[in-house]
Amino acid sequence: MNAAIRAVVRSARYNDLAVIGVRYGYEGLIRGDFVDMDSTSVSNIIQLGGTILKSARSEQFRTAEGRAKAAANAKAAGIDALVVIGGDGSFQGASKLNEEHGVHVVGIPGTIDNDLSGTDETIGYDTALNTAMEAIDKIRDTADAHERLFLVEVMGREAGFIALETGIAGGAELILLPEALTEIQDIKAQLGEVFRFQRRSSLVVVAEGDETGGAYKLSENLKDDFSRYEMRVCILGHIQRGGSPTARDRVLASRLGSAAVQSLVDGHTNVMVGVIDNQIKITPMRNVWSKKKSINYELLELAKILS
Ligand code: F6P
């Protein structure tokens, strides 16, 4: 997110536009927590995880009164347009602000889950993938040394993008994700096959949103049939959301931050900027959450072939 903030500020300054940072997201908009920003306020942040502007969930912004207050504050501060970095919840809020109060809004897709239509990748996804992959590599050492079965749970909310790609990159024997329904009997059969070929260790990547109920629940359901193997569960959790961003994420965030400013200059509003097939694309915000983004089923097939 910091790389995107930097790009928004510097591109806006390049276009002779003033920039005001809103701290704590919509909560800060309601409180009027604003800070003037210039090129130097975003120096030395491209390599930092998180966001210098902080983030917060805002219950108040879900109400019409909260949004009215936010819009009034924005107008009083001379804010003509809002650049919102976030996922579908943030965009639904931005869209309402636009429809109810005429505030111009543009969204920048920022979520590790990568579950937004209108862009091939979201900011944070690649960093999360690499963090999860490195963790899996480390877990593999113990799995291998002790010949254990590891169930590693990754984030992604209701989507399996992180599970699919970290599973492939980490050489998982099995990948379980919400987009591919798998019966417990099939999981047992597939794991049985893995052990029949005398693998020294096994690692299953489970998406937190998988219908098995996550890694702990799955281990409960597997423990009787696989009691001869030592099984361990590892939930990767919030380490996936932090750390210095990868080069790929920094470049994506820089492109999207700049594109967001350009789209406002060009007169767009209530849209999200994304990158599709390496080209900047502008999508009406509504389409971002109303159209479900599909995982790449070819990758899922590939994972099966390679495991
Ligand atoms: O949407 C990003 C995400 O990290 C999900 O993958 C995860 O389910 C959720 O947020 C965790 O949210 P919180 O930090 O509020 O527990």
Side-chain angles (χ1 to χ4, degrees), residues 9-79:
V9 172
R10 297 226 165 136
S11 303
R13 297 304 306 148
Y14 180 79
N15 283 281
D16 281 332
L17 298 168
V19 187
I20 294 172
V22 180
R23 287 162 43 84
Y24 299 97
Y26 293 134
E27 204 52 31
L29 201 55
I30 292 169
R31 285 202 303 257
D33 193 346
F34 303 142
V35 50
D36 288 329
M37 299 188 88
D38 60 20
S39 284
T40 55
S41 16
V42 289
S43 296
N44 229 343
I45 65 165
I46 196 166
Q47 75 281 18
L48 303 179
T51 157
I52 58 163
L53 288 175
K54 312 277 185 185
S55 187
R57 302 209 189 281
S58 177
E59 282 309 315
Q60 262 199 87
F61 195 76
R62 291 177 193 277
T63 65
E65 299 77 48
R67 288 191 296 275
K69 201 161 176 214
N73 281 345
K75 275 178 193 157
I79 296 172

Side-chain angles (χ1 to χ4, degrees), residues 32-261:
D33 193 346
F34 303 142
V35 50
D36 288 329
M37 299 188 88
D38 60 20
S39 284
T40 55
S41 16
V42 289
S43 296
N44 229 343
I45 65 165
I46 196 166
Q47 75 281 18
L48 303 179
T51 157
I52 58 163
L53 288 175
K54 312 277 185 185
S55 187
R57 302 209 189 281
S58 177
E59 282 309 315
Q60 262 199 87
F61 195 76
R62 291 177 193 277
T63 65
E65 299 77 48
R67 288 191 296 275
K69 201 161 176 214
N73 281 345
K75 275 178 193 157
I79 296 172
D80 303 310
L82 213 56
V83 179
V84 176
I85 310 170
D88 58 357
S90 309
F91 294 163
Q92 289 186 35
S95 215
K96 281 201 172 127
L97 197 65
N98 174 261
E99 283 154 15
E100 293 169 357
H101 301 283
V103 179
H104 295 305
V105 292
V106 56
I108 298 180
T111 163
I112 62 164
D113 302 338
N114 197 30
D115 58 347
L116 300 178
S117 295
T119 190
D120 289 340
E121 273 188 27
T122 53
I123 299 170
Y125 175 60
D126 189 61
T127 305
L129 278 187
N130 280 285
T131 304
M133 182 193 71
E134 280 169 25
I136 286 170
D137 288 350
K138 288 178 178 142
I139 292 166
R140 182 72 85 171
D141 290 343
T142 305
D144 188 50
H146 291 265
E147 299 192 347
R148 285 176 179 168
L149 165 60
F150 264 89
L151 307 181
V152 180
E153 183 177 303
V154 295
M155 277 186 170
R157 220 178 273 270
E158 279 139 33
F161 293 92
I162 299 179
L164 179 55
E165 293 209 57
T166 50
I168 292 176
E173 275 66 36
L174 188 61
I175 303 171
L176 300 174
L177 52 158
E179 292 87 346
L181 302 178
T182 324
E183 299 292 332
I184 188 73
Q185 288 316 325
D186 296 335
I187 296 172
K188 287 179 182 171
Q190 288 180 54
L191 275 180
E193 277 295 287
V194 166
F195 286 114
R196 210 163 63 78
F197 286 105
Q198 209 25 59
R199 297 282 164 86
R200 285 180 306 158
S201 67
S202 284
L203 200 144
V204 178
V205 171
V206 190
E208 65 174 343
D210 185 62
E211 72 283 0
T212 49
Y216 272 116
K217 187 115 182 276
L218 180 62
S219 76
E220 281 300 306
N221 288 327
L222 292 178
K223 72 173 192 283
D224 291 343
D225 294 59
F226 292 88
S227 54
R228 57 197 183 284
Y229 303 103
E230 260 191 284
M231 188 161 41
R232 292 286 187 276
V233 170
C234 185
I235 313 280
L236 296 188
H238 286 80
I239 64 160
Q240 294 160 98
R241 288 233 310 232
S244 184
T246 59
R248 192 181 165 103
D249 254 335
R250 296 182 201 190
V251 173
L252 177 69
S254 300
R255 289 180 78 185
L256 292 178
S258 184
V261 171

